[in-house]
Amino acid sequence: MKPNAIIYTSNTGYTKQYADLLGEKTRLPVYNLTEAEVKVPTGTPVIYLGWLMAGKIQGYGKAAKTYRIEALCGVGMGATGSQIEEIQRINHLSEDLPVFTVQGGFDMNKLHGAYKVMMTIMKRTAGKALEEKADRTSEEDMMLHMLNHGGNQVSEENLADILDWYGWERCIA
């Protein structure tokens, strides 16, 4: 079934940026999960985007109880297309559900409360481990740079796989 809307949950704005970009390309309406509860009927087929925390796609459980999730996209600090098997396992996803990941961004100043504390600890522990690692991959170098300096990696190119799945070429005709 073809999705009728894009629904998302964002913490620091990167997931919202992706949802808006995806909405522009697919011409689907875009709603945050709270807004969707009022405007999108129960059972509607949707694409859901949520930010990642320890492999868990935030808001997915709530969205899945209300909407028919046709594709799922996690936005995190890892490279686009990475962590899919881990996300499927942690979120108890069916192998039939198309799952995508895209690299978002990191800005410590946009975090609050427990999330800021957790990321401060992660920056200290994971950042130190990465700094001490002699044979870092380019992905690990990017992660270390993002932890130390922040950054926004949101781009249309990162949406290529989900746009291919959706059949984006049909959208621009």
Side-chain angles (χ1 to χ4, degrees):
M1 187 170 271
K2 193 154 177 104
N4 293 336
I6 296 167
I7 298 176
Y8 70 91
T9 300
S10 188
N11 185 36
T12 56
Y14 303 108
T15 305
K16 180 186 183 334
Q17 288 178 33
Y18 274 120
D20 289 341
L21 267 174
L22 191 58
E24 285 176 29
K25 296 298 176 189
T26 61
R27 299 184 183 149
L28 291 172
V30 177
Y31 305 96
N32 68 47
L33 186 55
T34 303
E35 181 183 28
E37 291 171 348
V38 176
K39 295 184 175 182
V40 181
T42 298
T44 298
V46 302
I47 299 171
Y48 182 78
L49 289 84
W51 58 283
L52 289 166
M53 183 172 66
K56 189 121 172 107
I57 298 179
Q58 301 304 298
Y60 168 71
K62 185 175 183 181
K65 289 177 184 172
T66 307
Y67 306 104
R68 184 171 168 180
I69 309 294
E70 297 294 322
L72 182 61
C73 184
V75 180
M77 290 176 59
T80 295
S82 66
Q83 302 172 291
I84 291 175
E85 289 179 10
E86 176 186 358
I87 289 166
Q88 287 172 321
R89 180 180 47 78
I90 290 171
N91 293 276
H92 311 288
L93 303 174
S94 162
E95 290 184 18
D96 296 336
L97 178 65
V99 177
F100 305 91
T101 60
V102 291
Q103 188 172 40
F106 178 68
D107 183 345
M108 189 66 84
N109 296 321
K110 291 183 177 182
L111 297 174
H112 303 285
Y115 299 124
K116 189 165 195 158
V117 171
M118 288 186 312
M119 288 308 292
T120 299
I121 293 167
M122 182 180 157
K123 181 178 174 181
R124 193 175 310 128
T125 57
K128 183 177 181 183
L130 284 173
E131 283 175 1
E132 294 174 351
K133 188 174 179 186
D135 56 343
R136 286 191 306 261
T137 65
S138 59
E139 183 179 331
E140 290 169 330
D141 282 338
M142 187 179 294
M143 178 74 75
L144 180 59
H145 184 271
M146 200 177 300
L147 281 171
N148 287 332
H149 307 287
N152 182 345
Q153 302 300 318
V154 174
S155 71
E156 183 180 313
E157 294 79 29
N158 287 343
L159 290 172
D161 288 343
I162 195 165
L163 286 169
D164 285 347
W165 166 83
Y166 182 78
W168 182 57
E169 62 281 350
R170 291 180 300 208
C171 301
I172 57 176

XYZ file of all heavy atoms in Angstrom, residues 80-169:
717
model
N 24.842 6.892 6.885
C 23.621 6.520 6.175
C 23.726 5.070 5.716
O 24.750 4.655 5.173
C 23.405 7.467 4.975
O 23.168 8.779 5.500
C 22.246 7.032 4.112
N 22.678 4.294 5.965
C 22.652 2.885 5.576
C 23.274 1.939 6.583
O 23.245 0.727 6.395
N 23.796 2.455 7.681
C 24.422 1.587 8.687
C 23.414 1.208 9.766
O 22.351 1.801 9.866
C 25.627 2.290 9.324
O 25.213 3.412 10.081
N 23.728 0.203 10.542
C 22.996 -0.229 11.739
C 21.618 -0.829 11.467
O 20.838 -1.006 12.400
C 22.817 0.944 12.715
C 24.078 1.596 13.195
C 23.769 2.843 13.988
O 23.313 3.837 13.428
N 24.015 2.784 15.284
N 21.288 -1.152 10.246
C 19.924 -1.607 9.940
C 19.587 -2.909 10.662
O 18.519 -3.025 11.273
C 19.699 -1.699 8.421
C 19.688 -0.270 7.847
C 18.399 -2.423 8.103
C 19.591 -0.158 6.366
N 20.471 -3.895 10.637
C 20.183 -5.164 11.325
C 20.016 -4.954 12.821
O 19.124 -5.539 13.438
C 21.284 -6.182 11.042
C 21.264 -6.690 9.612
C 22.386 -7.687 9.331
O 23.076 -8.139 10.270
O 22.572 -8.010 8.145
N 20.852 -4.126 13.403
C 20.759 -3.829 14.836
C 19.418 -3.145 15.147
O 18.745 -3.476 16.125
C 21.923 -2.921 15.245
C 21.872 -2.462 16.685
C 22.963 -1.457 17.024
O 23.800 -1.124 16.161
O 22.961 -0.991 18.168
N 19.016 -2.223 14.314
C 17.750 -1.508 14.514
C 16.569 -2.465 14.378
O 15.624 -2.409 15.159
C 17.650 -0.320 13.537
C 18.639 0.761 13.977
C 16.231 0.225 13.459
C 18.905 1.827 12.945
N 16.638 -3.369 13.404
C 15.559 -4.354 13.247
C 15.445 -5.213 14.504
O 14.347 -5.477 14.982
C 15.829 -5.236 12.024
C 15.604 -4.524 10.718
C 16.062 -5.329 9.518
O 17.090 -6.000 9.551
N 15.287 -5.259 8.445
N 16.584 -5.632 15.039
C 16.587 -6.481 16.232
C 16.089 -5.716 17.462
O 15.174 -6.156 18.157
C 17.996 -7.022 16.476
C 18.125 -7.916 17.697
C 19.553 -8.431 17.886
N 20.589 -7.422 17.779
C 20.905 -6.540 18.745
N 20.248 -6.556 19.886
N 21.863 -5.656 18.567
N 16.636 -4.552 17.724
C 16.292 -3.776 18.924
C 14.825 -3.343 18.919
O 14.165 -3.335 19.958
C 17.224 -2.555 19.061
C 18.638 -3.036 19.430
C 16.707 -1.551 20.085
C 19.700 -1.970 19.386
N 14.304 -2.995 17.753
C 12.925 -2.513 17.644
C 11.926 -3.625 17.342
O 10.745 -3.350 17.152
C 12.841 -1.418 16.580
C 13.586 -0.172 16.993
O 13.055 0.669 17.699
N 14.833 -0.051 16.565
N 12.411 -4.882 17.284
C 11.560 -6.055 17.031
C 10.744 -5.883 15.745
O 9.525 -6.049 15.744
C 10.630 -6.328 18.220
C 11.345 -6.348 19.535
N 12.180 -7.382 19.901
C 11.382 -5.459 20.549
C 12.694 -7.133 21.095
N 12.223 -5.973 21.517
N 11.446 -5.570 14.673
C 10.780 -5.280 13.403
C 10.678 -6.517 12.533
O 11.585 -7.349 12.519
C 11.554 -4.197 12.639
C 11.751 -2.883 13.384
C 12.648 -1.950 12.591
C 10.406 -2.229 13.686
N 9.629 -6.577 11.773
C 9.455 -7.630 10.786
C 10.487 -7.436 9.677
O 10.797 -6.297 9.315
C 8.041 -7.545 10.203
O 7.967 -8.249 8.991
N 10.985 -8.532 9.143
C 11.931 -8.436 8.029
C 11.260 -7.886 6.776
O 11.942 -7.432 5.853
C 12.565 -9.797 7.749
C 13.526 -10.228 8.835
C 14.227 -11.537 8.504
O 14.251 -11.937 7.325
O 14.765 -12.147 9.439
N 9.931 -7.894 6.733
C 9.189 -7.373 5.582
C 9.105 -5.847 5.575
O 8.784 -5.259 4.549
C 7.767 -7.937 5.565
C 7.752 -9.444 5.379
O 8.723 -9.985 4.823
O 6.762 -10.075 5.787
N 9.351 -5.211 6.728
C 9.251 -3.758 6.817
C 10.522 -3.113 6.267
O 11.612 -3.379 6.766
C 9.045 -3.320 8.273
C 8.979 -1.815 8.526
C 7.745 -1.209 7.846
C 8.967 -1.527 10.016
N 10.407 -2.269 5.240
C 11.587 -1.563 4.746
C 12.130 -0.609 5.813
O 11.384 0.229 6.335
C 11.065 -0.794 3.530
C 9.793 -1.467 3.145
C 9.224 -1.996 4.424
N 13.414 -0.777 6.145
C 14.056 0.043 7.171
C 15.238 0.769 6.538
O 16.044 0.163 5.833
C 14.536 -0.815 8.364
C 15.266 0.034 9.388
C 13.363 -1.537 9.005
N 15.338 2.049 6.834
C 16.402 2.891 6.312
C 17.026 3.665 7.465
O 16.369 3.919 8.471
C 15.841 3.885 5.283
C 15.082 3.223 4.177
C 13.709 3.030 4.283
C 15.734 2.771 3.042
C 13.001 2.407 3.267
C 15.032 2.141 2.022
C 13.674 1.962 2.128
N 18.286 4.043 7.295
C 18.922 4.947 8.252
C 19.595 6.065 7.472
O 20.078 5.854 6.356
C 19.976 4.239 9.130
O 21.006 3.696 8.302
C 19.345 3.151 9.978
N 19.587 7.240 8.076
C 20.258 8.391 7.489
C 21.045 9.105 8.582
O 20.642 9.114 9.747
C 19.271 9.365 6.815
C 18.662 8.749 5.565
C 18.184 9.825 7.762
N 22.177 9.668 8.183
C 22.996 10.403 9.143
C 22.421 11.800 9.314
O 22.197 12.519 8.336
C 24.439 10.492 8.670
C 25.353 11.077 9.720
C 26.809 10.981 9.316
O 27.153 11.181 8.166
N 27.652 10.663 10.284
N 22.165 12.138 10.563
C 21.590 13.438 10.883
C 22.648 14.422 11.321
O 23.414 14.922 10.510
N 22.716 14.670 12.593
C 23.675 15.624 13.101
C 23.771 15.545 14.609
O 23.120 14.716 15.248
N 24.575 16.431 15.151
C 24.776 16.457 16.590
C 25.107 17.883 17.007
O 25.980 18.520 16.415
C 25.902 15.501 16.999
C 26.193 15.500 18.471
C 25.268 14.989 19.366
C 27.372 16.016 18.962
C 25.518 15.000 20.731
C 27.647 16.017 20.320
C 26.718 15.505 21.205
N 24.381 18.367 18.007
C 24.630 19.680 18.570
C 24.306 19.592 20.052
O 23.131 19.555 20.438
C 23.758 20.721 17.875
C 24.025 22.141 18.364
O 24.670 22.318 19.422
O 23.574 23.077 17.684
N 25.339 19.548 20.866
C 25.169 19.408 22.314
C 24.284 20.527 22.869
O 23.526 20.323 23.822
C 26.531 19.414 23.005
C 26.471 19.060 24.476
S 25.953 17.370 24.830
C 27.496 16.504 24.656
N 24.330 21.707 22.251
C 23.546 22.844 22.742
C 22.047 22.662 22.540
O 21.253 23.356 23.172
C 23.993 24.142 22.059
C 25.419 24.483 22.403
O 25.858 24.303 23.531
N 26.167 24.950 21.421
N 21.641 21.760 21.663
C 20.214 21.511 21.432
C 19.656 20.436 22.353
O 18.452 20.195 22.355
C 19.976 21.096 19.974
C 20.197 22.219 18.983
C 19.868 21.752 17.584
C 20.017 22.866 16.571
N 19.650 22.417 15.219
N 20.511 19.783 23.120
C 20.069 18.721 24.016
C 19.718 19.278 25.389
O 20.308 20.266 25.835
C 21.165 17.655 24.161
C 21.531 16.912 22.884
C 22.723 15.996 23.131
C 20.353 16.112 22.371
N 18.787 18.608 26.050
C 18.351 19.044 27.373
C 18.184 17.825 28.276
O 17.966 16.707 27.806
C 17.024 19.795 27.282
C 17.077 20.968 26.364
N 17.699 22.139 26.691
C 16.615 21.143 25.102
C 17.611 22.989 25.699
N 16.956 22.401 24.708
N 18.245 18.064 29.567
C 17.940 17.049 30.570
C 18.767 15.786 30.445
O 19.985 15.829 30.246
N 18.071 14.661 30.551
C 18.730 13.357 30.556
C 19.504 13.097 29.252
O 20.560 12.468 29.277
C 17.710 12.250 30.771
N 18.979 13.587 28.130
C 19.661 13.359 26.854
C 21.018 14.066 26.835
O 21.992 13.541 26.318
C 18.808 13.832 25.677
C 17.496 13.112 25.585
C 16.308 13.815 25.574
C 17.433 11.721 25.529
C 15.084 13.161 25.503
C 16.218 11.058 25.463
C 15.056 11.782 25.447
O 13.864 11.131 25.385
N 21.079 15.241 27.395
C 22.340 15.979 27.449
C 23.339 15.250 28.351
O 24.510 15.114 28.004
C 22.117 17.406 27.931
C 23.355 18.270 27.787
C 23.023 19.737 27.930
C 24.187 20.568 27.433
N 23.779 21.902 27.052
N 22.856 14.750 29.467
C 23.725 13.993 30.387
C 24.247 12.731 29.697
O 25.446 12.442 29.735
C 22.970 13.636 31.696
C 23.776 12.674 32.553
C 22.626 14.898 32.474
N 23.344 11.990 29.046
C 23.760 10.751 28.372
C 24.783 11.029 27.272
O 25.766 10.305 27.138
C 22.547 10.024 27.780
C 21.671 9.397 28.825
S 20.321 8.382 28.182
C 19.580 9.393 26.940
N 24.555 12.068 26.492
C 25.483 12.358 25.396
C 26.803 12.925 25.912
O 27.845 12.709 25.298
C 24.844 13.302 24.379
C 23.773 12.627 23.542
S 24.294 11.070 22.741
C 25.482 11.680 21.563
N 26.788 13.599 27.045
C 28.032 14.061 27.656
C 28.875 12.858 28.061
O 30.085 12.819 27.813
C 27.738 14.965 28.874
O 26.998 16.100 28.426
C 29.012 15.414 29.554
N 28.217 11.860 28.636
C 28.921 10.633 29.025
C 29.416 9.896 27.787
O 30.554 9.441 27.732
C 28.013 9.738 29.892
C 27.742 10.425 31.234
C 28.622 8.351 30.095
C 26.629 9.800 32.056
N 28.539 9.791 26.770
C 28.945 9.107 25.539
C 30.120 9.822 24.873
O 31.062 9.181 24.405
C 27.787 9.022 24.552
C 28.158 8.268 23.283
S 26.770 8.211 22.167
C 27.628 7.967 20.631
N 30.064 11.135 24.847
C 31.148 11.909 24.242
C 32.458 11.634 24.979
O 33.495 11.441 24.364
C 30.803 13.400 24.286
C 31.832 14.287 23.661
C 31.384 15.745 23.701
C 32.486 16.647 23.197
N 32.102 18.053 23.243
N 32.356 11.569 26.287
C 33.555 11.334 27.097
C 34.093 9.916 26.892
O 35.291 9.728 26.687
C 33.225 11.566 28.571
C 34.446 11.651 29.447
C 34.128 12.003 30.899
N 33.254 13.164 31.016
C 32.131 13.178 31.734
N 31.752 12.119 32.395
N 31.393 14.270 31.800
N 33.216 8.912 26.920
C 33.686 7.521 26.845
C 33.959 7.079 25.408
O 35.069 6.650 25.092
C 32.669 6.574 27.498
O 31.407 6.732 26.870
C 32.559 6.825 28.988
N 32.946 7.210 24.534
C 33.122 6.779 23.147
C 34.121 7.671 22.424
O 34.930 7.190 21.627
C 31.782 6.781 22.410
N 34.062 8.966 22.714
C 35.005 9.893 22.084
C 36.443 9.561 22.448
O 37.319 9.551 21.585
N 36.668 9.266 23.718
C 38.023 8.920 24.156
C 38.480 7.624 23.495
O 39.625 7.522 23.030
C 38.070 8.789 25.676
C 39.457 8.501 26.197
C 39.503 8.455 27.705
C 40.945 8.181 28.131
N 41.083 8.056 29.556
N 37.589 6.644 23.445
C 37.944 5.364 22.817
C 38.281 5.557 21.338
O 39.247 4.968 20.832
C 36.805 4.359 22.977
N 37.511 6.380 20.662
C 37.788 6.640 19.247
C 39.093 7.406 19.065
O 39.858 7.127 18.139
C 36.632 7.412 18.601
C 35.386 6.607 18.273
C 34.263 7.532 17.800
C 35.679 5.553 17.216
N 39.334 8.377 19.932
C 40.583 9.142 19.840
C 41.798 8.240 20.002
O 42.815 8.429 19.338
C 40.617 10.245 20.898
C 39.771 11.432 20.541
C 39.707 12.472 21.653
O 40.342 12.283 22.720
O 39.007 13.483 21.448
N 41.682 7.234 20.869
C 42.810 6.347 21.149
C 42.948 5.219 20.136
O 43.971 4.542 20.098
C 42.664 5.769 22.557
C 42.792 6.830 23.635
C 42.509 6.316 25.030
O 42.046 5.149 25.172
O 42.729 7.083 25.984
N 41.946 5.018 19.317
C 41.981 3.947 18.329
C 42.912 4.325 17.182
O 42.751 5.360 16.540
C 40.567 3.678 17.799
C 40.490 2.460 16.921
C 39.055 2.150 16.542
C 39.051 0.940 15.630
N 37.730 0.663 15.113
N 43.868 3.460 16.915
C 44.890 3.756 15.910
C 44.384 3.585 14.479
O 44.786 4.319 13.579
C 46.114 2.862 16.141
N 43.529 2.627 14.256
C 43.108 2.306 12.886
C 41.629 2.639 12.673
O 40.836 1.811 12.265
C 43.381 0.836 12.577
C 42.712 -0.110 13.571
O 42.311 0.342 14.667
O 42.579 -1.306 13.248
N 41.266 3.909 12.912
C 39.879 4.336 12.747
C 39.473 4.293 11.278
O 40.255 4.618 10.391
C 39.688 5.772 13.253
C 39.680 5.916 14.751
C 39.229 7.311 15.165
N 39.980 8.381 14.545
C 40.981 9.034 15.136
N 41.361 8.713 16.353
N 41.597 10.004 14.496
N 38.209 3.924 11.077
C 37.638 3.975 9.728
C 37.219 5.413 9.444
O 37.147 6.248 10.359
C 36.397 3.064 9.620
O 35.375 3.589 10.491
C 36.721 1.623 9.999
N 36.889 5.708 8.199
C 36.436 7.059 7.868
C 35.123 7.363 8.590
O 34.880 8.503 9.011
C 36.283 7.230 6.357
O 35.370 6.304 5.843
N 34.275 6.348 8.757
C 33.030 6.537 9.504
C 33.329 6.890 10.964
O 32.685 7.766 11.543
C 32.173 5.274 9.436
C 30.840 5.419 10.132
C 29.976 4.165 10.052
O 30.090 3.408 9.069
O 29.178 3.963 10.983
N 34.305 6.223 11.553
C 34.676 6.525 12.941
C 35.296 7.914 13.061
O 35.052 8.624 14.039
C 35.631 5.454 13.473
C 34.959 4.115 13.689
C 35.929 2.980 13.949
O 37.087 3.018 13.443
O 35.528 2.037 14.657
N 36.083 8.312 12.059
C 36.632 9.669 12.055
C 35.514 10.705 12.024
O 35.568 11.716 12.726
C 37.562 9.883 10.849
C 38.937 9.265 11.046
O 39.340 9.051 12.209
O 39.604 9.006 10.025
N 34.494 10.458 11.195
C 33.369 11.387 11.096
C 32.604 11.439 12.415
O 32.205 12.514 12.867
C 32.434 10.984 9.958
C 31.342 12.010 9.708
S 30.242 11.595 8.348
C 31.360 11.677 6.969
N 32.410 10.285 13.032
C 31.714 10.224 14.317
C 32.500 11.007 15.381
O 31.908 11.787 16.139
C 31.531 8.774 14.760
C 30.865 8.623 16.106
S 29.115 8.959 16.097
C 28.513 7.492 15.316
N 33.809 10.819 15.426
C 34.644 11.527 16.393
C 34.566 13.033 16.157
O 34.417 13.811 17.108
C 36.091 11.037 16.298
C 37.078 11.703 17.257
C 36.657 11.490 18.710
C 38.482 11.148 17.018
N 34.640 13.436 14.904
C 34.554 14.860 14.590
C 33.201 15.420 15.033
O 33.121 16.513 15.613
C 34.772 15.091 13.088
C 34.788 16.540 12.732
N 33.633 17.228 12.412
C 35.805 17.435 12.672
C 33.941 18.494 12.173
N 35.254 18.648 12.313
N 32.139 14.676 14.775
C 30.807 15.134 15.155
C 30.679 15.222 16.680
O 30.104 16.177 17.195
C 29.731 14.217 14.573
C 28.374 14.883 14.515
S 27.054 13.912 13.766
C 27.654 13.619 12.134
N 31.211 14.239 17.394
C 31.159 14.281 18.854
C 31.907 15.492 19.402
O 31.449 16.150 20.337
C 31.748 12.999 19.457
C 30.859 11.774 19.472
C 31.656 10.546 19.880
C 29.668 11.972 20.390
N 33.063 15.776 18.827
C 33.904 16.860 19.334
C 33.457 18.243 18.876
O 33.639 19.216 19.603
C 35.364 16.630 18.931
C 35.995 15.507 19.713
O 35.614 15.225 20.848
N 36.957 14.844 19.119
N 32.917 18.339 17.669
C 32.643 19.655 17.100
C 31.190 19.868 16.681
O 30.846 20.958 16.232
C 33.544 19.889 15.883
C 34.988 19.684 16.177
N 35.734 20.574 16.917
C 35.824 18.677 15.850
C 36.973 20.123 17.032
N 37.056 18.973 16.397
N 30.368 18.824 16.771
C 29.001 18.924 16.289
C 28.988 18.887 14.769
O 30.024 18.720 14.122
N 27.818 19.010 14.211
C 27.729 19.032 12.758
C 26.360 18.601 12.285
O 25.609 17.950 13.008
N 26.043 19.006 11.066
C 24.776 18.679 10.434
C 25.086 17.989 9.112
O 25.659 18.596 8.212
C 23.961 19.955 10.199
C 22.603 19.686 9.596
O 22.325 18.605 9.085
N 21.741 20.679 9.644
N 24.708 16.720 9.002
C 24.962 15.938 7.793
C 23.689 15.709 6.975
O 23.675 14.884 6.066
C 25.586 14.583 8.170
C 26.880 14.681 8.943
C 27.952 15.421 8.176
O 28.124 15.224 6.981
N 28.666 16.292 8.872
N 22.622 16.418 7.285
C 21.358 16.246 6.569
C 21.555 16.647 5.114
O 22.069 17.722 4.815
C 20.232 17.094 7.203
C 18.958 17.019 6.369
C 19.968 16.632 8.631
N 21.160 15.734 4.213
C 21.266 16.034 2.784
C 20.260 15.191 2.010
O 19.872 14.107 2.440
C 22.672 15.741 2.269
O 22.911 14.353 2.211
N 19.877 15.701 0.874
C 18.977 14.984 -0.020
C 19.607 13.662 -0.465
O 18.915 12.652 -0.594
C 18.674 15.861 -1.228
C 17.687 15.264 -2.191
C 17.424 16.191 -3.371
O 17.207 17.386 -3.156
O 17.424 15.680 -4.512
N 20.912 13.666 -0.679
C 21.605 12.447 -1.122
C 21.420 11.304 -0.133
O 21.331 10.146 -0.538
C 23.107 12.716 -1.332
C 23.416 13.670 -2.456
C 23.206 15.147 -2.092
O 23.358 15.522 -0.908
O 22.857 15.911 -3.003
N 21.350 11.623 1.157
C 21.172 10.579 2.166
C 19.805 9.904 2.079
O 19.618 8.819 2.620
C 21.382 11.140 3.573
C 22.832 11.427 3.865
O 23.738 10.946 3.184
N 23.071 12.240 4.878
N 18.863 10.534 1.390
C 17.523 9.964 1.233
C 17.398 9.083 -0.012
O 16.308 8.577 -0.295
C 16.477 11.084 1.160
C 16.235 11.854 2.456
C 15.327 13.047 2.196
C 15.657 10.947 3.531
N 18.475 8.875 -0.748
C 18.412 8.150 -2.027
C 17.742 6.785 -1.896
O 16.888 6.434 -2.722
C 19.815 8.006 -2.622
N 18.096 6.002 -0.878
C 17.531 4.649 -0.755
C 16.029 4.672 -0.491
O 15.279 3.891 -1.081
C 18.244 3.853 0.340
C 19.650 3.445 -0.058
O 19.973 3.486 -1.270
O 20.435 3.083 0.838
N 15.590 5.540 0.388
C 14.153 5.589 0.688
C 13.384 6.172 -0.502
O 12.272 5.740 -0.799
C 13.850 6.319 2.019
C 12.421 6.022 2.473
C 14.129 7.797 1.927
C 12.122 6.385 3.905
N 13.982 7.113 -1.215
C 13.334 7.648 -2.417
C 13.260 6.587 -3.510
O 12.253 6.500 -4.225
C 14.054 8.899 -2.914
C 13.827 10.153 -2.070
C 14.793 11.256 -2.477
C 12.386 10.623 -2.167
N 14.295 5.759 -3.630
C 14.251 4.647 -4.588
C 13.132 3.681 -4.221
O 12.384 3.222 -5.081
C 15.583 3.896 -4.636
C 16.660 4.644 -5.389
O 16.341 5.630 -6.095
O 17.829 4.250 -5.272
N 13.035 3.353 -2.927
C 11.972 2.452 -2.462
C 10.601 3.044 -2.810
O 9.712 2.341 -3.285
C 12.089 2.232 -0.950
C 10.870 1.604 -0.367
C 10.564 0.270 -0.345
C 9.757 2.276 0.228
N 9.325 0.083 0.233
C 8.813 1.304 0.598
C 9.467 3.611 0.490
C 7.616 1.620 1.215
C 8.265 3.937 1.103
C 7.360 2.932 1.453
N 10.432 4.323 -2.564
C 9.147 4.981 -2.791
C 8.821 5.092 -4.286
O 7.655 5.135 -4.656
C 9.156 6.375 -2.135
C 7.848 7.092 -2.277
C 6.773 6.768 -1.458
C 7.672 8.083 -3.224
C 5.559 7.422 -1.566
C 6.466 8.748 -3.345
C 5.408 8.412 -2.527
O 4.207 9.054 -2.644
N 9.828 5.116 -5.109
C 9.617 5.299 -6.538
C 9.564 6.774 -6.893
O 8.659 7.246 -7.561
N 10.570 7.499 -6.403
C 10.608 8.937 -6.525
C 10.451 9.421 -7.959
O 9.814 10.441 -8.211
C 11.916 9.477 -5.940
C 12.018 10.964 -5.988
C 11.153 11.868 -5.450
C 13.030 11.731 -6.638
N 11.568 13.145 -5.694
C 12.719 13.091 -6.424
C 14.164 11.421 -7.359
C 13.505 14.123 -6.905
C 14.948 12.434 -7.839
C 14.619 13.781 -7.615
N 10.958 8.673 -8.915
C 10.858 9.122 -10.312
C 9.401 9.331 -10.723
O 9.088 10.150 -11.554
C 11.573 8.174 -11.268
C 11.018 6.761 -11.300
C 11.450 5.856 -10.163
O 12.356 6.238 -9.391
O 10.878 4.760 -10.023
